[in-house]
Amino acid sequence: MKILVTGGAGFIGSFIVDQLVELNHEVVVVDDLDPAAHDGLPAGLNASATYHWADIRRRATFEIPGVLDDVDAVCHQAAKVGLGVDFADVEEYVTRNEGGTAVLLRALHDRNFGGRIVLASSMVVYGEGRYRCADHGVMRAGPRALDDLEHGSFEPPCPRCGGELVGESVPEDHWLDPRNVYATTKLAQEGLCQAYVREHPGLSCTALRYHNVYGPRMPRDTPYAGVASIFRSAYENNVAPQVFEDGGQLRDFVHVTDIARCNVLALTNDKPANGAFNVCTGVPKTILDMANALRPDGAPQPEVVGGYRLGDIRHVFASPERAKSELGFTAKVAFEDGMNEFRTAPLRSSVGPRPALPFRDE
C-alpha cells in the first residue's frame, strides 16, 4: 500500500512510519515541523520514507507531485497537541487542527480519494470520564467548581445529590464533553472526517482516541509536551516534579509503540473499521503513580503541590474492548516496563535546522 502520514516526523507519527516501512509499505510524509514541537530537523527519520516539508493548511501542499498520487490510505496525525499555555493559543489550535483537517479532506475530495482515513483523536473529547453515584447510577459530572478547587476538593460531586462519584471505564458511545480548546478541536476533527465519509459512500474513517501516550522521541521542555516528558525532565535536572491537585487523577498510560501498532492495524486490516476506538491499556494509574515510576534511584521524591489547571479534568480512563474485538488491538507494553524504559529513552533531538517551507506567503 501507499500511505500518506501527516505529521509523520512527530513523536507518534515517526513510530507509525517505522512500523509501516517495516511491513514494506510505501510511506509519504507531510510535516511542517511546528516550532512548538521541533527545534530543528528531527534525528532518526526513517530513510525509506519520502518526506515533504510543507504545511497541510495550504492547498498547494497537496498539489506537490507524489503527495497524494495513488495513495491508498491516509493516516492523519498532524495536530497541535496538549493543553497549551493559555487561551491565547486558541487560533493556532483551531487553524492547525480544524483548518488543517478541512484542507486535507478537501484535497482528498478533489482527488476522488477512495481509501481509508485513520485519524489521531484523543480521550480529551470525553471531558470528565464516566462516573457512578451509589444512589443515582451513571451520572454526568459537571465542570468542577472553582471554589472547590481552591479549597483542595478535587473530586466532582454527583450533580443530583452532591454525593461521592466513583470513576468507571469510558466506552466509545459515552457522551462527549470537551473541556478545553484542544479537546474541542479534536472533536471537530472527528466530526469533519465523519462528514466526509457520509458524503463519500463506501469510505471509512477510524478515529483512534489516544489515551496518555509516552515513550522515546517525546519532545522535552515544552508546555505542549506530555506530562511524562515534563516529569522526566525534572528528574534529569535533579528537581522534584510538581504534581498538581493531590496526584490521584486517574489516566491510562499507553506506550507509543502500541499506539503506532493500533494505527497500522486500522490502516492495513482486511476489513476497514469505521467510527471511534479507545486506544488504551485498560489499566488506569494515577499521575502520582507515574511520577513515582519514573523516579530514578536517589532522585528527589515527587512533590504534590495541590493547585490545579483550569481545563484539566479529574479522571478519564477507558474500555479497550472495542479496539480488541474490531481492530485486533491489545496493548503489549506494561506500565512498569514502559516507564522503566522511558527513564533513559532518547527524547526528541535534532540533526540540523528546520527546512524552509514552501507557500509561506500564500
Side-chain angles (χ1 to χ4, degrees), residues 214 285 293 334-341:
Y214 71 97
K285 299 287 184 179
F335 176 79
E336 293 77 11
D337 295 337
M339 290 296 168
N340 284 338
E341 175 218 34

Side-chain angles (χ1 to χ4, degrees), residues 174-256:
H174 194 67
W175 53 70
L176 305 178
D177 187 16
R179 297 287 177 93
N180 55 55
V181 170
Y182 170 60
T184 301
T185 64
K186 296 310 287 185
L187 184 56
Q189 285 184 299
E190 287 194 22
L192 289 168
C193 288
Q194 283 303 323
Y196 181 86
V197 168
R198 282 191 293 273
E199 294 194 26
H200 298 79
L203 301 190
S204 68
C205 176
T206 308
L208 299 179
R209 292 175 179 164
Y210 302 161
H211 284 251
N212 288 71
V213 190
Y214 71 97
R217 305 180 195 165
M218 285 190 84
R220 66 167 80 228
D221 302 328
T222 164
Y224 305 97
V227 65
S229 178
I230 293 170
F231 285 179
R232 188 188 128 160
S233 292
Y235 284 130
E236 288 178 340
N237 292 313
N238 201 35
V239 173
Q242 306 245 304
V243 181
F244 289 148
E245 302 187 13
D246 60 2
Q249 308 94 309
L250 284 167
R251 300 290 189 270
D252 192 317
F253 298 97
V254 195
H255 196 271
V256 64

Side-chain angles (χ1 to χ4, degrees), residues 42-63:
L45 295 178
N46 197 302
S48 296
T50 300
Y51 292 86
H52 297 279
W53 308 120
D55 190 335
I56 66 166
R57 294 172 292 182
R58 309 292 190 183
R59 287 191 190 181
T61 292
F62 298 103
E63 297 170 4

Side-chain angles (χ1 to χ4, degrees), residues 315-326:
H315 304 304
V316 60
F317 53 95
S319 168
E321 292 306 312
R322 187 178 184 211
K324 180 179 179 180
S325 63
E326 296 189 36

Side-chain angles (χ1 to χ4, degrees), residues 105-192:
L105 294 173
R106 166 66 188 275
L108 296 178
H109 171 78
D110 290 346
R111 289 291 188 108
N112 295 313
F113 173 73
R116 300 184 194 185
I117 301 170
V118 175
L119 170 69
S121 187
S122 171
M123 54 87 174
V124 296
V125 300
Y126 296 121
E128 283 288 351
R130 182 180 179 91
Y131 293 89
R132 184 176 296 274
C133 171
D135 293 327
H136 299 108
V138 174
M139 296 299 298
R140 183 171 185 164
R144 294 183 293 174
L146 187 59
D147 188 60
D148 288 343
L149 295 171
E150 292 281 0
H151 288 87
S153 180
F154 302 117
E155 297 288 344
C158 174
R160 289 185 61 183
C161 67
E164 180 181 1
L165 293 175
V166 177
E168 294 185 344
S169 294
V170 180
E172 288 84 354
D173 60 358
H174 194 67
W175 53 70
L176 305 178
D177 187 16
R179 297 287 177 93
N180 55 55
V181 170
Y182 170 60
T184 301
T185 64
K186 296 310 287 185
L187 184 56
Q189 285 184 299
E190 287 194 22
L192 289 168

